[in-house]
Amino acid sequence: MTKLAVFDCDGTLVDGQADVLFAMNHAFELARLPLPDAAQVRRLVGLSLPVAIRELAPEAEQLQQQALTENYKTAFRTRREEGLLHEPLYDGIAELLHNLHANGWSLAVATGKSDRGLSACLASHGLTELFVSLQTADRHPSKPHPAMLEAALFEAGAQPAQAVMIGDTSFDMQMATAAHVRAVGVSWGYHAPEELHATGADYVADSMAELRAELGRFA
């Protein structure tokens, strides 16, 4: 039986909040708009970028929101090209992924990142070859729409009952619920455990050991 573990990226696999905040502040500075609240920016990590921008600048005109989106992308890309991007893996994630892969799991990612951003992130940590499916905001509606998760199921040849979605936000839990996939939250990301439970989490892991144990019970 195929077992599929689908991971969110930011806040679940890696902690990239410093770069997200830098790029968002840069975009708003260029637009001569007040800088967004850092806590609100972190809460929106996981949504597709245009959706997050609309949440952060709801009174801006559409063209200005589009400019904010493009300036964010440019700032993030420039930071990567200059070698300043810092997206560290959470402790124990690499070992967990390798162990799951060695034990016959299929692995996938469903993220609000772009194709380019996800590819660069995974490649920088030597993890690309572990995944059978990479789903990003470039080709799907924003979370919590289930399209990314449904595509991962299709590419992995798995049924919803054979899959688990692991993420740190309510968007991930709602997406899993919409796709009829088991939802497992992690507490080290950007949304509080009580929010994850309230939006459909079947379980919330407080440590990598707890996550490993929970996935070990999955059948």
Side-chain angles (χ1 to χ4, degrees):
M1 179 184 77
T2 299
K3 292 191 294 184
L4 174 65
V6 185
F7 289 85
D8 169 56
C9 189
D10 288 300
T12 303
L13 297 179
V14 303
D15 183 4
Q17 63 177 303
D19 295 303
V20 169
L21 290 170
F22 173 87
M24 196 67 74
N25 285 344
H26 182 74
F28 274 70
E29 284 174 350
L30 287 178
R32 297 183 179 179
L33 291 174
L35 297 185
D37 178 70
Q40 187 183 9
V41 173
R42 283 191 292 268
R43 285 194 54 78
L44 296 174
V45 170
L47 294 178
S48 298
L49 180 58
V51 175
I53 292 291
R54 287 197 295 272
E55 290 288 329
L56 292 170
E59 297 180 0
E61 296 181 358
Q62 184 177 3
L63 287 177
Q64 192 172 33
Q65 290 176 345
Q66 291 173 349
L68 285 167
T69 298
E70 292 307 312
N71 288 335
Y72 176 98
K73 291 180 180 178
T74 299
F76 210 91
R77 182 170 59 251
T78 300
R79 199 163 171 84
R80 179 184 299 113
E81 291 171 350
E82 293 177 350
L84 299 175
L85 205 63
H86 185 57
E87 297 179 298
L89 292 171
Y90 288 103
D91 289 344
I93 277 290
E95 181 181 2
L96 174 66
L97 294 174
H98 282 285
N99 285 344
L100 290 172
H101 186 266
N103 284 297
W105 283 76
S106 293
L107 304 179
V109 176
T111 177
K113 281 183 176 294
S114 66
D115 285 333
R116 177 185 296 177
L118 178 60
S119 294
C121 178
L122 295 179
S124 70
H125 296 296
L127 298 174
T128 306
E129 300 305 316
L130 296 179
F131 295 95
V132 300
S133 180
L134 300 176
Q135 304 301 327
T136 77
D138 282 350
R139 289 168 284 115
H140 297 288
S142 178
K143 297 175 184 179
H145 194 285
M148 282 192 278
L149 198 42
E150 291 169 346
L153 289 166
F154 177 79
E155 291 189 0
Q159 297 299 313
Q162 300 169 316
V164 56
M165 174 71 208
I166 301 107
D168 70 298
T169 69
S170 57
F171 318 128
D172 298 312
M173 303 301 101
Q174 292 168 328
M175 178 174 66
T177 300
H180 307 291
V181 165
R182 182 168 176 77
V184 172
V186 298
S187 66
W188 52 79
Y190 305 137
H191 287 190
E194 54 266 27
E195 294 180 81
L196 303 181
H197 283 297
T199 50
D202 297 293
Y203 181 85
V204 177
D206 289 324
S207 67
M208 208 61 63
E210 287 187 11
L211 178 57
R212 184 167 56 249
E214 176 63 16
L215 294 178
R217 288 189 287 268
F218 187 80

